[in-house]
Coordinates of all heavy atoms in Angstrom, one line a residue:
M840 N 91.3 -66.0 -57.7 CA 91.2 -64.9 -56.8 C 92.2 -65.2 -55.6 O 92.1 -66.3 -55.0 CB 89.8 -64.8 -56.2 CG 89.7 -63.7 -55.2 SD 88.1 -63.4 -54.4 CE 86.9 -63.6 -55.7
S841 N 93.1 -64.3 -55.4 CA 94.0 -64.5 -54.3 C 93.4 -64.2 -52.9 O 92.3 -63.7 -52.8 CB 95.2 -63.5 -54.5 OG 94.9 -62.2 -54.2
H842 N 94.1 -64.6 -51.9 CA 93.6 -64.4 -50.6 C 93.5 -62.9 -50.3 O 92.6 -62.5 -49.5 CB 94.6 -65.0 -49.5 CG 94.6 -66.5 -49.6 ND1 93.6 -67.3 -49.3 CD2 95.6 -67.4 -50.0 CE1 93.9 -68.6 -49.5 NE2 95.2 -68.6 -49.9
W843 N 94.4 -62.1 -50.8 CA 94.3 -60.7 -50.6 C 93.1 -60.1 -51.2 O 92.4 -59.2 -50.6 CB 95.6 -60.0 -51.0 CG 96.8 -60.4 -50.3 CD1 97.8 -61.1 -50.8 CD2 97.0 -60.3 -48.9 NE1 98.7 -61.4 -49.8 CE2 98.3 -60.9 -48.6 CE3 96.3 -59.7 -47.8 CZ2 98.8 -60.9 -47.3 CZ3 96.9 -59.7 -46.6 CH2 98.1 -60.3 -46.3
E844 N 92.7 -60.5 -52.4 CA 91.5 -60.0 -53.1 C 90.3 -60.4 -52.3 O 89.4 -59.6 -52.2 CB 91.5 -60.5 -54.5 CG 92.5 -59.9 -55.4 CD 92.5 -60.6 -56.8 OE1 91.7 -61.6 -57.0 OE2 93.3 -60.2 -57.6
M845 N 90.3 -61.6 -51.8 CA 89.1 -62.0 -51.0 C 89.0 -61.2 -49.7 O 88.0 -60.8 -49.3 CB 89.2 -63.5 -50.6 CG 88.0 -64.1 -50.0 SD 88.0 -65.8 -49.6 CE 89.1 -66.5 -50.7
A846 N 90.2 -60.9 -49.1 CA 90.2 -60.1 -47.9 C 89.7 -58.7 -48.2 O 88.9 -58.1 -47.4 CB 91.6 -60.0 -47.3
I847 N 90.1 -58.1 -49.3 CA 89.6 -56.8 -49.7 C 88.1 -56.8 -49.9 O 87.4 -55.9 -49.4 CB 90.3 -56.3 -51.0 CG1 91.8 -56.0 -50.7 CG2 89.6 -55.0 -51.5 CD1 92.6 -55.8 -51.9
K848 N 87.6 -57.8 -50.6 CA 86.1 -57.9 -50.8 C 85.3 -58.1 -49.6 O 84.3 -57.5 -49.4 CB 85.8 -59.0 -51.8 CG 86.3 -58.7 -53.2 CD 85.9 -59.8 -54.2 CE 86.4 -59.3 -55.6 NZ 85.9 -60.3 -56.6
I849 N 85.8 -58.9 -48.7 CA 85.1 -59.1 -47.4 C 85.1 -57.9 -46.5 O 84.0 -57.4 -46.1 CB 85.6 -60.4 -46.7 CG1 85.3 -61.6 -47.5 CG2 85.0 -60.4 -45.3 CD1 86.0 -62.9 -47.0
T850 N 86.3 -57.3 -46.3 CA 86.3 -56.2 -45.4 C 85.7 -54.9 -46.0 O 85.0 -54.2 -45.4 CB 87.8 -55.9 -45.0 OG1 88.6 -55.6 -46.2 CG2 88.4 -57.0 -44.2
G851 N 85.9 -54.8 -47.3 CA 85.3 -53.6 -48.0 C 83.8 -53.8 -48.1 O 83.0 -52.8 -47.9
G852 N 83.3 -55.0 -48.3 CA 81.9 -55.3 -48.4 C 81.2 -55.0 -47.0 O 80.1 -54.3 -47.0
I853 N 81.8 -55.4 -45.9 CA 81.2 -55.1 -44.6 C 81.2 -53.6 -44.4 O 80.2 -53.1 -43.9 CB 82.0 -55.8 -43.5 CG1 81.8 -57.3 -43.6 CG2 81.6 -55.4 -42.1 CD1 82.7 -58.2 -42.7
G854 N 82.2 -52.9 -44.7 CA 82.3 -51.5 -44.6 C 81.3 -50.7 -45.4 O 80.6 -49.8 -44.9
V855 N 81.1 -51.1 -46.7 CA 80.2 -50.4 -47.5 C 78.7 -50.7 -47.1 O 77.9 -49.8 -47.1 CB 80.4 -50.9 -49.0 CG1 79.2 -50.5 -49.9 CG2 81.7 -50.3 -49.5
V856 N 78.4 -51.9 -46.7 CA 77.1 -52.2 -46.3 C 76.7 -51.4 -45.0 O 75.7 -50.9 -44.9 CB 76.9 -53.7 -46.0 CG1 75.6 -54.1 -45.3 CG2 76.9 -54.5 -47.4
S857 N 77.7 -51.3 -44.1 CA 77.5 -50.6 -42.9 C 77.2 -49.1 -43.2 O 76.4 -48.5 -42.6 CB 78.7 -50.7 -41.9 OG 78.9 -52.0 -41.5
W858 N 78.0 -48.6 -44.1 CA 77.8 -47.1 -44.4 C 76.5 -46.9 -45.2 O 75.9 -45.9 -45.0 CB 79.0 -46.7 -45.3 CG 80.2 -46.2 -44.4 CD1 80.4 -46.6 -43.1 CD2 81.3 -45.4 -44.8 NE1 81.6 -46.0 -42.7 CE2 82.1 -45.3 -43.7 CE3 81.6 -44.8 -46.0 CZ2 83.3 -44.5 -43.7 CZ3 82.8 -44.0 -46.0 CH2 83.6 -43.9 -44.9
L859 N 76.1 -47.9 -46.0 CA 74.8 -47.7 -46.7 C 73.7 -47.7 -45.7 O 72.8 -46.9 -45.8 CB 74.7 -48.8 -47.8 CG 75.5 -48.6 -49.0 CD1 75.3 -49.8 -49.9 CD2 75.1 -47.4 -49.8
L860 N 73.7 -48.6 -44.8 CA 72.7 -48.7 -43.7 C 72.7 -47.4 -42.9 O 71.6 -46.9 -42.5 CB 72.9 -49.9 -42.8 CG 72.6 -51.3 -43.5 CD1 72.9 -52.4 -42.5 CD2 71.1 -51.3 -43.8
A861 N 73.9 -46.9 -42.6 CA 74.0 -45.6 -41.8 C 73.4 -44.5 -42.6 O 72.7 -43.6 -42.1 CB 75.4 -45.3 -41.5
G862 N 73.6 -44.5 -43.9 CA 73.1 -43.4 -44.8 C 71.6 -43.5 -44.9 O 70.9 -42.5 -44.9
L863 N 71.0 -44.7 -44.9 CA 69.6 -44.9 -45.0 C 68.9 -44.4 -43.7 O 67.9 -43.8 -43.7 CB 69.2 -46.4 -45.2 CG 69.4 -46.9 -46.6 CD1 69.2 -48.4 -46.7 CD2 68.5 -46.2 -47.6
L864 N 69.5 -44.8 -42.6 CA 69.0 -44.4 -41.3 C 69.1 -42.9 -41.0 O 68.2 -42.3 -40.4 CB 69.7 -45.1 -40.1 CG 69.3 -46.6 -39.9 CD1 70.1 -47.2 -38.9 CD2 67.8 -46.7 -39.6
S865 N 70.1 -42.3 -41.6 CA 70.3 -40.8 -41.3 C 69.5 -40.0 -42.3 O 69.3 -38.8 -42.1 CB 71.8 -40.4 -41.5 OG 72.2 -40.5 -42.9
G866 N 68.9 -40.6 -43.3 CA 68.1 -39.9 -44.3 C 69.0 -39.2 -45.4 O 68.5 -38.2 -46.0
A867 N 70.2 -39.7 -45.6 CA 71.1 -39.0 -46.5 C 70.6 -39.2 -48.0 O 71.0 -38.5 -48.9 CB 72.5 -39.5 -46.4
F868 N 69.8 -40.3 -48.2 CA 69.4 -40.6 -49.6 C 68.0 -40.1 -50.0 O 67.5 -40.6 -51.0 CB 69.5 -42.1 -49.8 CG 70.9 -42.7 -49.5 CD1 71.1 -43.7 -48.6 CD2 72.0 -42.1 -50.1 CE1 72.3 -44.2 -48.3 CE2 73.3 -42.6 -49.8 CZ 73.4 -43.6 -48.9
I869 N 67.4 -39.3 -49.2 CA 66.1 -38.8 -49.5 C 66.1 -37.3 -49.7 O 67.0 -36.6 -49.2 CB 65.0 -39.2 -48.4 CG1 65.4 -38.6 -47.0 CG2 64.9 -40.7 -48.3 CD1 64.3 -38.9 -46.0
S870 N 65.1 -36.8 -50.3 CA 65.1 -35.3 -50.7 C 64.7 -34.5 -49.4 O 64.2 -35.0 -48.4 CB 64.1 -35.1 -51.8 OG 62.8 -35.4 -51.4
G871 N 64.8 -33.2 -49.6 CA 64.5 -32.3 -48.5 C 63.1 -32.3 -48.0 O 62.8 -32.3 -46.8
D872 N 62.2 -32.4 -49.0 CA 60.7 -32.4 -48.6 C 60.4 -33.7 -47.8 O 59.5 -33.6 -46.9 CB 59.8 -32.2 -49.8 CG 60.0 -33.2 -50.9 OD1 61.0 -33.9 -50.9 OD2 59.0 -33.4 -51.7
R873 N 61.0 -34.8 -48.2 CA 60.7 -36.0 -47.5 C 61.3 -35.9 -46.1 O 60.7 -36.4 -45.1 CB 61.3 -37.2 -48.2 CG 60.7 -37.5 -49.5 CD 60.0 -38.8 -49.4 NE 59.4 -39.1 -50.7 CZ 58.5 -40.0 -50.8 NH1 58.1 -40.7 -49.8 NH2 58.0 -40.3 -52.0
T874 N 62.5 -35.3 -46.0 CA 63.1 -35.2 -44.6 C 62.2 -34.3 -43.7 O 62.0 -34.7 -42.6 CB 64.5 -34.5 -44.8 OG1 65.3 -35.3 -45.7 CG2 65.2 -34.4 -43.4
R875 N 61.7 -33.2 -44.3 CA 60.8 -32.4 -43.4 C 59.5 -33.1 -43.1 O 59.1 -33.0 -41.9 CB 60.5 -31.1 -44.2 CG 61.6 -30.1 -44.2 CD 61.2 -28.8 -44.8 NE 60.8 -28.9 -46.2 CZ 61.7 -28.9 -47.2 NH1 63.0 -28.8 -46.9 NH2 61.3 -28.9 -48.5
A876 N 59.0 -33.9 -44.0 CA 57.8 -34.6 -43.7 C 58.0 -35.7 -42.6 O 57.2 -35.9 -41.7 CB 57.2 -35.3 -44.9
N877 N 59.2 -36.4 -42.7 CA 59.5 -37.4 -41.7 C 59.7 -36.8 -40.3 O 59.3 -37.3 -39.3 CB 60.7 -38.2 -42.1 CG 60.4 -39.1 -43.3 OD1 59.3 -39.5 -43.6 ND2 61.5 -39.5 -44.0
E878 N 60.4 -35.6 -40.3 CA 60.7 -35.0 -39.0 C 59.4 -34.4 -38.4 O 59.4 -34.3 -37.1 CB 61.7 -33.8 -39.2 CG 63.1 -34.3 -39.5 CD 64.1 -33.2 -39.7 OE1 63.7 -32.0 -39.6 OE2 65.3 -33.6 -39.9
S879 N 58.4 -34.1 -39.1 CA 57.2 -33.5 -38.5 C 56.4 -34.6 -37.8 O 55.7 -34.3 -36.9 CB 56.4 -32.8 -39.6 OG 55.9 -33.8 -40.5
I880 N 56.5 -35.9 -38.2 CA 55.8 -36.9 -37.6 C 56.6 -37.8 -36.7 O 56.1 -38.7 -36.0 CB 55.0 -37.8 -38.6 CG1 56.1 -38.5 -39.5 CG2 54.0 -37.0 -39.4 CD1 55.5 -39.5 -40.5
E881 N 57.9 -37.5 -36.6 CA 58.8 -38.4 -35.8 C 58.9 -37.8 -34.4 O 59.0 -36.6 -34.2 CB 60.2 -38.3 -36.5 CG 61.3 -39.1 -35.9 CD 62.5 -39.0 -36.7 OE1 63.0 -37.9 -37.0 OE2 63.0 -40.1 -37.1
T882 N 59.0 -38.7 -33.4 CA 59.2 -38.3 -32.1 C 60.6 -38.1 -31.8 O 61.5 -38.5 -32.5 CB 58.6 -39.4 -31.1 OG1 59.5 -40.6 -31.2 CG2 57.2 -39.7 -31.3
A883 N 60.9 -37.4 -30.7 CA 62.3 -37.1 -30.3 C 63.0 -38.4 -30.0 O 64.2 -38.5 -30.3 CB 62.3 -36.2 -29.1
E884 N 62.4 -39.4 -29.4 CA 63.0 -40.7 -29.1 C 63.4 -41.4 -30.4 O 64.5 -42.0 -30.5 CB 62.0 -41.5 -28.3 CG 62.6 -42.8 -27.9 CD 61.6 -43.7 -27.1 OE1 60.7 -43.1 -26.5 OE2 61.8 -44.9 -27.1
D885 N 62.5 -41.4 -31.4 CA 62.8 -42.0 -32.7 C 64.0 -41.3 -33.4 O 64.9 -42.0 -33.9 CB 61.6 -41.9 -33.6 CG 60.5 -42.8 -33.2 OD1 60.7 -43.8 -32.4 OD2 59.3 -42.5 -33.6
K886 N 64.0 -40.0 -33.3 CA 65.1 -39.3 -33.9 C 66.5 -39.6 -33.2 O 67.5 -39.8 -33.9 CB 64.9 -37.8 -33.8 CG 65.9 -37.0 -34.6 CD 65.5 -35.5 -34.6 CE 66.5 -34.7 -35.4 NZ 66.2 -33.3 -35.5
R887 N 66.5 -39.7 -31.9 CA 67.7 -40.1 -31.1 C 68.1 -41.5 -31.5 O 69.3 -41.7 -31.7 CB 67.4 -40.0 -29.6 CG 67.8 -38.6 -29.0 CD 67.8 -38.7 -27.5 NE 66.7 -39.4 -26.9 CZ 65.5 -38.8 -26.6 NH1 65.4 -37.6 -26.8 NH2 64.6 -39.5 -26.0
F888 N 67.2 -42.4 -31.6 CA 67.5 -43.8 -31.9 C 68.2 -43.8 -33.3 O 69.2 -44.5 -33.5 CB 66.3 -44.7 -31.9 CG 66.5 -46.1 -32.4 CD1 67.2 -47.0 -31.6 CD2 66.1 -46.4 -33.7 CE1 67.4 -48.3 -32.0 CE2 66.4 -47.7 -34.1 CZ 67.0 -48.6 -33.3
R889 N 67.5 -43.2 -34.3 CA 68.1 -43.2 -35.7 C 69.4 -42.6 -35.7 O 70.3 -43.1 -36.4 CB 67.1 -42.5 -36.6 CG 66.0 -43.2 -37.2 CD 65.2 -42.6 -38.3 NE 65.1 -41.1 -38.2 CZ 65.8 -40.3 -38.9 NH1 66.7 -40.7 -39.8 NH2 65.6 -39.0 -38.8
S890 N 69.6 -41.5 -35.1 CA 70.9 -40.8 -35.1 C 72.0 -41.6 -34.4 O 73.1 -41.7 -35.0 CB 70.7 -39.4 -34.4 OG 72.0 -38.8 -34.3
K891 N 71.7 -42.2 -33.3 CA 72.6 -43.0 -32.6 C 73.0 -44.2 -33.4 O 74.2 -44.6 -33.5 CB 72.1 -43.4 -31.2 CG 73.1 -44.2 -30.4 CD 72.5 -44.6 -29.0 CE 73.5 -45.4 -28.2 NZ 72.9 -45.8 -27.0
F892 N 72.0 -45.0 -33.9 CA 72.3 -46.2 -34.6 C 73.0 -45.9 -35.9 O 73.9 -46.6 -36.3 CB 71.0 -46.9 -34.9 CG 71.1 -48.4 -35.1 CD1 71.7 -49.2 -34.2 CD2 70.7 -48.9 -36.4 CE1 71.8 -50.6 -34.4 CE2 70.9 -50.3 -36.6 CZ 71.4 -51.1 -35.7
S893 N 72.7 -44.8 -36.5 CA 73.4 -44.4 -37.8 C 74.9 -44.1 -37.5 O 75.8 -44.5 -38.2 CB 72.7 -43.1 -38.4 OG 73.4 -42.7 -39.5
S894 N 75.1 -43.4 -36.4 CA 76.5 -43.1 -36.0 C 77.3 -44.4 -35.7 O 78.5 -44.5 -36.0 CB 76.6 -42.2 -34.8 OG 76.0 -41.0 -35.1
V895 N 76.6 -45.3 -35.0 CA 77.3 -46.6 -34.6 C 77.6 -47.4 -35.9 O 78.7 -47.9 -36.0 CB 76.4 -47.4 -33.7 CG1 76.9 -48.8 -33.5 CG2 76.3 -46.8 -32.3
L896 N 76.7 -47.4 -36.8 CA 77.0 -48.2 -38.1 C 78.1 -47.5 -38.9 O 78.9 -48.2 -39.5 CB 75.7 -48.3 -38.9 CG 74.7 -49.3 -38.5 CD1 73.4 -49.1 -39.3 CD2 75.3 -50.7 -38.7
F897 N 78.1 -46.2 -38.9 CA 79.2 -45.5 -39.6 C 80.5 -45.8 -39.0 O 81.5 -46.1 -39.7 CB 78.9 -44.0 -39.6 CG 80.0 -43.2 -40.2 CD1 80.0 -43.0 -41.6 CD2 81.1 -42.6 -39.5 CE1 81.0 -42.3 -42.2 CE2 82.1 -41.9 -40.1 CZ 82.0 -41.7 -41.5
L898 N 80.6 -45.7 -37.6 CA 81.9 -46.0 -36.9 C 82.3 -47.4 -37.0 O 83.5 -47.8 -37.1 CB 81.8 -45.5 -35.5 CG 81.7 -44.0 -35.3 CD1 81.5 -43.7 -33.8 CD2 82.9 -43.3 -35.8
F899 N 81.3 -48.3 -37.1 CA 81.6 -49.8 -37.2 C 82.2 -50.1 -38.6 O 83.1 -50.9 -38.7 CB 80.2 -50.6 -37.1 CG 80.4 -52.0 -37.3 CD1 81.0 -52.9 -36.4 CD2 80.0 -52.6 -38.5 CE1 81.1 -54.2 -36.6 CE2 80.1 -54.0 -38.8 CZ 80.7 -54.8 -37.8
G900 N 81.7 -49.4 -39.7 CA 82.2 -49.6 -41.0 C 83.5 -49.0 -41.3 O 84.3 -49.4 -42.2
L901 N 83.9 -47.9 -40.6 CA 85.1 -47.2 -40.8 C 86.4 -48.0 -40.8 O 87.2 -48.0 -41.7 CB 85.2 -46.0 -39.9 CG 86.3 -45.0 -40.2 CD1 86.2 -44.4 -41.5 CD2 86.3 -43.9 -39.1
P902 N 86.6 -48.8 -39.7 CA 87.8 -49.6 -39.7 C 87.9 -50.7 -40.8 O 89.0 -51.0 -41.3 CB 87.8 -50.3 -38.3 CG 86.7 -49.8 -37.6 CD 85.9 -49.0 -38.5
F903 N 86.7 -51.2 -41.2 CA 86.7 -52.2 -42.3 C 87.1 -51.6 -43.6 O 87.9 -52.2 -44.3 CB 85.3 -52.9 -42.4 CG 85.0 -53.8 -41.3 CD1 84.2 -53.5 -40.2 CD2 85.5 -55.1 -41.4 CE1 83.9 -54.4 -39.2 CE2 85.2 -56.0 -40.4 CZ 84.4 -55.6 -39.3
L904 N 86.6 -50.4 -43.9 CA 87.0 -49.7 -45.1 C 88.5 -49.3 -45.1 O 89.2 -49.4 -46.1 CB 86.1 -48.5 -45.4 CG 84.7 -48.9 -45.8 CD1 83.8 -47.7 -45.9 CD2 84.7 -49.6 -47.2
T905 N 88.9 -48.9 -43.9 CA 90.4 -48.5 -43.8 C 91.3 -49.7 -44.0 O 92.3 -49.6 -44.8 CB 90.6 -48.0 -42.4 OG1 89.7 -46.9 -42.1 CG2 92.0 -47.5 -42.2
V906 N 90.9 -50.9 -43.5 CA 91.7 -52.1 -43.7 C 91.7 -52.5 -45.1 O 92.7 -52.9 -45.7 CB 91.3 -53.2 -42.8 CG1 91.9 -54.5 -43.2 CG2 91.6 -52.9 -41.3
A907 N 90.5 -52.4 -45.8 CA 90.4 -52.8 -47.2 C 91.3 -51.9 -48.0 O 92.0 -52.3 -48.9 CB 89.0 -52.7 -47.6
L908 N 91.3 -50.6 -47.7 CA 92.1 -49.6 -48.5 C 93.6 -49.9 -48.3 O 94.4 -49.9 -49.2 CB 91.7 -48.2 -48.1 CG 92.5 -47.1 -48.8 CD1 92.2 -47.1 -50.3 CD2 92.2 -45.8 -48.1
L909 N 94.0 -50.2 -47.0 CA 95.4 -50.5 -46.8 C 95.9 -51.8 -47.4 O 97.0 -51.8 -48.0 CB 95.6 -50.6 -45.3 CG 95.5 -49.3 -44.5 CD1 95.6 -49.5 -43.0 CD2 96.6 -48.3 -45.0
I910 N 95.0 -52.8 -47.4 CA 95.4 -54.0 -48.1 C 95.5 -53.8 -49.6 O 96.4 -54.2 -50.3 CB 94.4 -55.1 -47.8 CG1 94.4 -55.6 -46.4 CG2 94.6 -56.4 -48.7 CD1 93.3 -56.5 -46.0
Y911 N 94.6 -53.0 -50.2 CA 94.6 -52.7 -51.6 C 95.9 -52.0 -52.0 O 96.5 -52.3 -53.0 CB 93.3 -51.9 -52.0 CG 93.4 -51.4 -53.4 CD1 93.1 -52.3 -54.5 CD2 93.7 -50.1 -53.7 CE1 93.2 -51.8 -55.8 CE2 93.7 -49.6 -55.0 CZ 93.5 -50.5 -56.0 OH 93.5 -50.1 -57.3
L912 N 96.2 -50.9 -51.2 CA 97.4 -50.1 -51.5 C 98.7 -50.9 -51.4 O 99.6 -50.8 -52.2 CB 97.4 -48.9 -50.7 CG 96.3 -47.8 -50.9 CD1 96.4 -46.7 -49.9 CD2 96.4 -47.3 -52.4
A913 N 98.7 -51.8 -50.3 CA 99.9 -52.6 -50.1 C 100.0 -53.6 -51.3 O 101.1 -53.9 -51.7 CB 99.8 -53.3 -48.8
N914 N 98.9 -54.2 -51.7 CA 98.9 -55.2 -52.8 C 99.3 -54.5 -54.1 O 100.0 -55.1 -54.9 CB 97.5 -55.8 -52.9 CG 97.6 -57.1 -53.7 OD1 98.6 -57.7 -53.9 ND2 96.4 -57.5 -54.2
L915 N 98.8 -53.3 -54.3 CA 99.1 -52.5 -55.5 C 100.6 -52.2 -55.6 O 101.2 -52.3 -56.7 CB 98.3 -51.2 -55.5 CG 98.3 -50.4 -56.8 CD1 97.5 -51.1 -57.8 CD2 97.6 -49.1 -56.5
R916 N 101.2 -51.9 -54.5 CA 102.7 -51.6 -54.5 C 103.6 -52.9 -54.5 O 104.8 -52.8 -54.6 CB 103.0 -50.7 -53.3 CG 102.4 -49.4 -53.5 CD 102.9 -48.5 -52.3 NE 102.3 -47.2 -52.4 CZ 102.9 -46.1 -52.9 NH1 104.1 -46.2 -53.4 NH2 102.3 -45.0 -53.0
G917 N 102.9 -54.0 -54.4 CA 103.7 -55.3 -54.4 C 104.2 -55.7 -53.1 O 105.1 -56.6 -53.0
Y918 N 103.8 -55.1 -52.0 CA 104.2 -55.5 -50.7 C 103.7 -56.9 -50.2 O 104.2 -57.5 -49.4 CB 103.9 -54.5 -49.6 CG 104.6 -53.1 -49.9 CD1 103.9 -52.0 -49.7 CD2 105.9 -53.1 -50.3 CE1 104.5 -50.7 -49.9 CE2 106.5 -51.8 -50.5 CZ 105.8 -50.7 -50.3 OH 106.4 -49.5 -50.5
L919 N 102.5 -57.2 -50.8 CA 101.8 -58.4 -50.3 C 102.0 -59.5 -51.4 O 101.7 -59.3 -52.5 CB 100.4 -58.2 -50.0 CG 100.1 -57.1 -49.0 CD1 98.6 -56.8 -48.9 CD2 100.7 -57.4 -47.7
T920 N 102.3 -60.7 -50.9 CA 102.4 -61.9 -51.8 C 101.6 -63.0 -51.1 O 101.2 -62.9 -50.0 CB 103.8 -62.3 -52.0 OG1 104.4 -62.7 -50.8 CG2 104.6 -61.2 -52.7
A921 N 101.5 -64.1 -51.8 CA 100.9 -65.3 -51.2 C 101.7 -65.8 -50.0 O 101.1 -66.3 -49.0 CB 100.7 -66.4 -52.3
A922 N 103.0 -65.7 -50.1 CA 103.8 -66.1 -49.0 C 103.6 -65.3 -47.7 O 103.6 -65.8 -46.6 CB 105.3 -66.1 -49.3
S923 N 103.4 -64.0 -47.9 CA 103.1 -63.1 -46.7 C 101.8 -63.4 -46.1 O 101.6 -63.2 -44.9 CB 103.3 -61.6 -47.1 OG 102.3 -61.3 -48.1
F924 N 100.8 -63.9 -46.9 CA 99.5 -64.2 -46.3 C 99.7 -65.5 -45.5 O 99.1 -65.5 -44.4 CB 98.5 -64.5 -47.5 CG 97.1 -64.7 -46.9 CD1 96.3 -63.6 -46.6 CD2 96.6 -65.9 -46.7 CE1 95.1 -63.7 -46.1 CE2 95.3 -66.1 -46.3 CZ 94.5 -65.0 -46.0
V925 N 100.5 -66.4 -45.8 CA 100.7 -67.6 -45.0 C 101.4 -67.2 -43.7 O 101.1 -67.8 -42.7 CB 101.6 -68.6 -45.8 CG1 102.0 -69.8 -45.0 CG2 100.8 -69.1 -47.0
L926 N 102.4 -66.2 -43.8 CA 103.1 -65.8 -42.6 C 102.1 -65.2 -41.6 O 102.3 -65.3 -40.4 CB 104.2 -64.9 -43.0 CG 105.4 -65.5 -43.7 CD1 106.3 -64.4 -44.1 CD2 106.1 -66.5 -42.9
L927 N 101.1 -64.5 -42.1 CA 100.2 -63.8 -41.2 C 99.2 -64.7 -40.6 O 98.6 -64.5 -39.6 CB 99.5 -62.7 -42.0 CG 100.3 -61.5 -42.3 CD1 99.5 -60.5 -43.2 CD2 100.9 -60.8 -41.1
A928 N 98.9 -65.8 -41.3 CA 97.8 -66.7 -40.9 C 98.2 -67.6 -39.8 O 99.1 -67.7 -39.1 CB 97.3 -67.6 -42.0

């Protein structure tokens, strides 16, 4: 595994985990009836907390996924080599 592949896996992994956690907190992976049931027993403070934390996690993961995509595309086009990794380090 090259250094670039490892960089893609690490940055992409952090981004995907952040987005999955944001999706879980926002309720994106549950059905409508579950959402209505949760909202009926949830306080306004809980809803604000979930919404804010979900947004923070989404925004936290966005740059990691962007960097992983840029590294992947640059590697795919042949712009990145082992020598260029040494130059950046």
Side-chain angles (χ1 to χ4, degrees):
M840 177 184 317
S841 73
H842 294 293
W843 295 116
E844 290 173 359
M845 190 181 329
I847 291 169
K848 287 183 180 185
I849 291 171
T850 57
I853 292 171
V855 167
V856 168
S857 297
W858 276 19
L859 286 175
L860 289 173
L863 285 173
L864 284 174
S865 71
F868 304 124
I869 59 175
S870 64
D872 60 339
R873 294 251 181 193
T874 303
R875 283 188 295 279
N877 289 341
E878 287 179 1
S879 68
I880 61 171
E881 180 177 57
T882 65
E884 183 181 338
D885 291 337
K886 186 174 183 179
R887 268 194 312 274
F888 174 77
R889 277 190 325 105
S890 177
K891 181 179 178 183
F892 203 60
S893 176
S894 298
V895 167
L896 282 171
F897 178 83
L898 292 174
F899 176 77
L901 188 62
F903 285 99
L904 288 173
T905 303
V906 167
L908 180 65
L909 290 175
I910 293 171
Y911 173 75
L912 292 175
N914 196 21
L915 190 67
R916 293 186 180 259
Y918 297 137
L919 304 177
T920 63
S923 61
F924 189 81
V925 171
L926 291 175
L927 291 175

